Amino acid sequence: MKHKLTVLVAISAALTLAGCSQTTQSHTQSSQSKTSKVAKNSSDNSNTSTASSKNKDTYTKLSASKMDYKTTASAIAVYAAQKYGDTWEIAVNAAKQGNLGVAFRSKDATGITSDNDGYVYEVSGTGKSSNARYMLAGDGADKQVTIFVKQRNLGTTSLKDIVAYLNQKNDADLVKQLAEKTQLNVKLAGDEDTQKTTNNSSASVIPSSLQGTWYTADTGNGNIDTLTVTDNKINDEAGFSMNVKAKNSGSSTSDGYMKQTTINGISFYSFTNMGQTPGQGSTYLAPHTEDGQSVIVSANSNGRTNAVYWKSEALAKKNSNKQFSDLKY
């Protein structure tokens, strides 16, 4: 009897040990499974974080040193709309549905008083005269931009700082979209400058062979520069403008006069500020022909060519920085 009890105790102990072993193994597998899931989730989160980080790094960026005039106008408009709102925000919102029009106006016509002798750029998204205006001074990324609402000066900043602000806001795509729909040197409804010029001009001063809108890519960086010439006005879109009179009279820094001269066998027209004599500092333009196309040659007082302007952007790009044998460089 004693022997049977001993055997039963031994069997019971064995079964207990077996049960404990299975419980421990099950608990270990469950722990391993949970650990594996946590590791997998952690890996998934890491991948998601990496993907998100990559997406943040792939935003389009603007470059202040590689910006044509349409993109510059668009960038200034978007910046001013965000920074100051008001009429600038109205112009940009309207331009999203249509076009961003930029008119070139004089300070006298807009009533703006500023030390800047350049032109006033008036921005509109509706095709009508607007109070959203800016002026430019200098060149390249350090170009100074003064922003106005009507005649009120809101402040001056550099194109470089405007671009940095827009890149931080990830607004490069919006700027480029508006640039594609930007029209320069437009006539806005209610633009008093057009009427004023017409009323004060009894006769055309600049010859018709120079008049029109001309384009060049001889800028060194592939950008397109636009030259606009009317019967009494020159504007090169970079900030230089001149109201051209028939005679040298007065001393207005925004007015100039024209004289004809021949340099290196080419008939140039010099455009010089009032009160000064033609020479260094004057703008020299000549109607000419290259490759069977009507062009305008821009040169210095020695006849050395600065740029050749063409009737279309396509021709300008095709002949970018090309030197012609009949011109002096």
Side-chain angles (χ1 to χ4, degrees), residues 105-156:
R105 304 187 63 188
S106 68
K107 289 195 300 181
D108 289 341
T110 58
I112 288 177
T113 57
S114 170
D115 293 336
N116 191 331
D117 293 328
Y119 219 60
V120 176
Y121 297 83
E122 187 168 295
V123 179
S124 174
T126 62
K128 297 180 180 180
S129 187
S130 164
N131 291 328
R133 299 162 176 169
Y134 66 91
M135 297 184 74
L136 301 175
D139 206 4
D142 293 322
K143 182 181 297 180
Q144 297 297 296
V145 182
T146 303
I147 298 172
F148 300 84
V149 167
K150 204 172 182 179
Q151 292 91 15
R152 181 160 56 97
N153 186 330
L154 301 181
T156 300

Side-chain angles (χ1 to χ4, degrees), residues 260-269 284-290 296-299 303 305 324-328:
Q260 190 170 12
T261 183
T262 299
I263 309 174
N264 301 328
I266 297 177
S267 181
F268 281 92
Y269 293 90
Y284 288 81
L285 302 176
H288 200 58
T289 302
E290 293 293 355
I296 288 181
V297 178
S298 172
T305 303
F324 298 91
S325 59
D326 60 331
L327 301 180
K328 184 179 179 181

Side-chain angles (χ1 to χ4, degrees), residues 9-25:
V9 170
I11 292 173
S12 176
L15 290 173
T16 300
L17 288 174
C20 289
S21 176
Q22 288 178 354
T23 300
T24 303
Q25 184 176 358

Side-chain angles (χ1 to χ4, degrees), residues 175-190:
V175 169
K176 291 183 178 181
Q177 288 167 11
L178 283 184
E180 292 177 357
K181 301 190 295 181
T182 295
Q183 299 175 342
L184 300 173
N185 197 24
V186 300
K187 297 301 179 185
L188 300 174

Side-chain angles (χ1 to χ4, degrees), residues 88-105:
W88 281 99
E89 188 173 6
I90 294 172
V92 168
N93 286 338
K96 291 176 183 178
Q97 309 302 321
N99 295 310
L100 188 71
V102 183
F104 302 158
R105 304 187 63 188

Side-chain angles (χ1 to χ4, degrees), residues 199-240:
N199 294 336
N200 291 344
S201 302
S202 57
S204 176
V205 177
I206 303 174
S208 59
S209 56
L210 287 177
Q211 293 179 31
T213 302
W214 306 82
Y215 307 89
T216 186
D218 298 345
T219 55
N221 57 11
N223 291 340
I224 297 292
D225 193 359
T226 303
L227 172 70
T228 305
V229 184
T230 66
D231 54 356
N232 296 88
K233 185 177 294 184
I234 295 176
N235 188 84
D236 73 353
E237 200 179 64
F240 167 80

